[in-house]
Amino acid sequence: MELAFFSTKSYERASFEAAASRAGHRISFLEPRLTAGTAALASGFPAVCAFVNDELQADTLSTLQAGGTRLILLRSAGFNHVDLNAATRLGLIVAHVPAYSPNAVAEHTIALILTLNRKTHRAYARVRDGNFSLDGLLGFDLSECTAGVVGTGKIGALVARILLGFGCEVLAHDPYPSPDVESMGARYTSLDELLAESDVISLHCPLVAETYHLINAESLSRMRSGVMLINTGRGGLVDAPAVIEGLKSRRIGYLGLDVYEEEADLFFVDRSAEVLTDDTFARLLTFPNVLITGHQGFFTYEALQNIAETTIANLTAWERGTGDLVRVPQG
Ligand code: NAI
């Protein structure tokens, strides 16, 4: 089967080429993001593969469908970037990789927490410059903290487990509480209580209508002063201008982001020689207590292998009409 592969990055070619060749598929690697403007590149391909910052809105999907595409393979867990109603209307099947390495994202979340707390990113540069002063590097004992985990699915449950291992009191909020997370020692609470009682708040819920801008001026006003806020979920969970005000007022003491609402025009590309035109993002970068990574939570060797294997297995399952295809819920 021929697969058109959008938003190709050099780091993923080897794992996908190996998985495709084992299964007898051929991949055309395309550099552009999949958008309404580039969808015609997939003309004649029965299947396309898309990444998180591709735009799979109705116009893109119509062009794909008109070009003969019938299967959309998302090489991600999240599918908030796909208009699923339009896909269903057009007869397009959408498959994804529900879990490739929840450990990768959970461990990256902890890396952000530890780095922000103990300021190792600043210490690294300081020591290399021959500056051994400790001023400004004061941290706190995580074991004394209350940590709030919003969303205790695959990733949030692992984050809760690691934080419990550090000795934190862990509060959790999820519309579907997990008995496993509870038996580990986390305590489920309302979102209100979690926001009010946590020293560290970490977001691991999906981006859906009800979680859009979950962190906004109003919810920030209910948090502890100096709270550490971590978002490795999706950028749209956080209202970035409100967070900037929260940083300026010191309500937020630490901010760790692996995702950003407007990341589609920023991340995954070397822009070091470009002028940054996103003023909100630029302002975030000016705070010493803000640490941003460019959506690399998933980025481990094990995750890349799993993403390639599952995506290609989805293609094979669809071609053979077996029941193993991992579809997203399309209604
Ligand atoms: P999951 O589906 O296993 O867990 C999500 C949990 O959120 C579920 O337990 C669900 O009940 C809960 N939830 C739904 N609505 C909620 C609400 N309003 N409030 C609180 N909880 C709510 O998903 P998984 O694999 O744990 O991934 C979590 C998120 O992490 C994904 O949705 C994705 O946005 C993000 N992600 C980020 C990556 C990165 O590289 N930074 C990579 C992979 C996923």
Side-chain angles (χ1 to χ4, degrees):
M1 176 82 48
E2 296 274 351
L3 175 66
F5 194 97
F6 282 86
S7 298
T8 304
K9 303 286 174 252
S10 55
Y11 59 74
E12 56 192 352
R13 278 188 81 130
S15 50
F16 267 94
E17 264 165 357
S21 130
R22 275 195 297 277
H25 301 301
R26 279 214 308 277
I27 303 182
S28 284
F29 289 102
L30 307 168
E31 275 189 31
R33 280 171 57 211
L34 175 56
T35 63
T38 62
L41 292 170
S43 179
F45 286 86
V48 304
C49 186
F51 194 42
V52 283
N53 287 329
D54 289 328
E55 293 172 8
L56 292 108
Q57 304 313 316
D59 45 1
T60 307
L61 297 174
S62 299
T63 307
L64 290 176
Q65 202 260 2
T69 296
R70 296 294 174 264
L71 175 67
I72 315 269
L73 294 167
L74 304 177
R75 53 186 192 280
S76 60
F79 44 82
N80 54 284
H81 53 310
V82 185
D83 182 338
L84 293 175
N85 291 331
T88 304
R89 205 170 52 245
L90 291 161
L92 294 168
I93 290 172
V94 185
H96 70 148
V97 185
Y100 36 89
S101 176
N103 289 296
V105 186
E107 290 168 16
H108 190 72
T109 302
I110 301 299
L112 291 178
I113 293 173
L114 292 176
T115 305
L116 279 165
N117 175 14
R118 304 306 298 271
K119 303 166 181 67
T120 41
H121 56 313
R122 302 185 68 199
Y124 171 81
R126 213 181 258 202
V127 168
R128 284 174 73 96
D129 195 34
N131 176 356
F132 304 102
S133 159
L134 298 184
D135 287 339
L137 300 184
L138 189 65
F140 56 87
D141 284 4
L142 258 186
S143 58
E144 299 297 314
C145 275
T146 300
V149 178
V150 181
T152 54
K154 292 175 285 298
I155 295 169
L158 287 168
V159 169
R161 193 177 73 187
I162 299 170
L163 290 171
L164 286 162
F166 275 115
C168 300
E169 180 184 353
V170 174
L171 302 181
H173 174 71
D174 193 305
Y176 303 98
S178 150
D180 289 346
V181 170
E182 222 160 11
S183 65
M184 277 183 225
R187 182 166 65 84
Y188 279 96
T189 66
S190 64
L191 183 61
D192 282 352
E193 185 180 344
L194 183 150
L195 296 179
E197 299 299 325
S198 300
D199 304 297
V200 177
I201 296 173
S202 195
L203 307 179
H204 303 288
C205 53
L207 176 61
V208 290
E210 71 200 24
T211 59
Y212 177 71
H213 286 186
L214 185 76
I215 304 301
N216 55 35
E218 193 276 322
S219 54
L220 281 167
S221 72
R222 287 186 277 136
M223 293 179 195
R224 284 189 170 171
S225 184
V227 66
M228 180 187 290
L229 180 65
I230 305 289
N231 186 13
T232 61
R234 281 290 178 268
L237 298 174
V238 167
D239 177 354
V243 156
I244 288 172
E245 291 310 311
L247 285 158
K248 283 158 71 178
S249 71
R250 316 287 197 280
R251 172 74 62 178
I252 300 175
Y254 312 79
L255 176 69
L257 302 178
D258 187 48
V259 287
Y260 173 63
E261 191 169 1
E262 307 301 330
E263 69 178 51
D265 294 327
L266 276 175
F267 286 2
F268 302 115
V269 173
D270 179 0
R271 301 195 189 281
S272 53
E274 293 178 21
V275 171
L276 191 54
T277 54
D278 183 329
D279 291 348
T280 303
F281 192 76
R283 183 68 177 100
L284 284 171
L285 292 178
T286 66
F287 294 95
N289 50 350
V290 172
L291 177 57
I292 305 180
T293 51
H295 207 142
Q296 69 174 84
F298 74 99
F299 197 49
T300 65
Y301 174 80
E302 290 76 7
L304 288 187
Q305 298 297 113
N306 289 338
I307 290 168
E309 292 297 339
T310 306
T311 304
I312 295 302
N314 275 338
L315 181 58
T316 304
W318 180 71
E319 184 183 32
R320 295 186 183 159
T322 61
D324 303 331
L325 183 67
V326 188
R327 294 181 63 165
V328 305
Q330 281 183 254

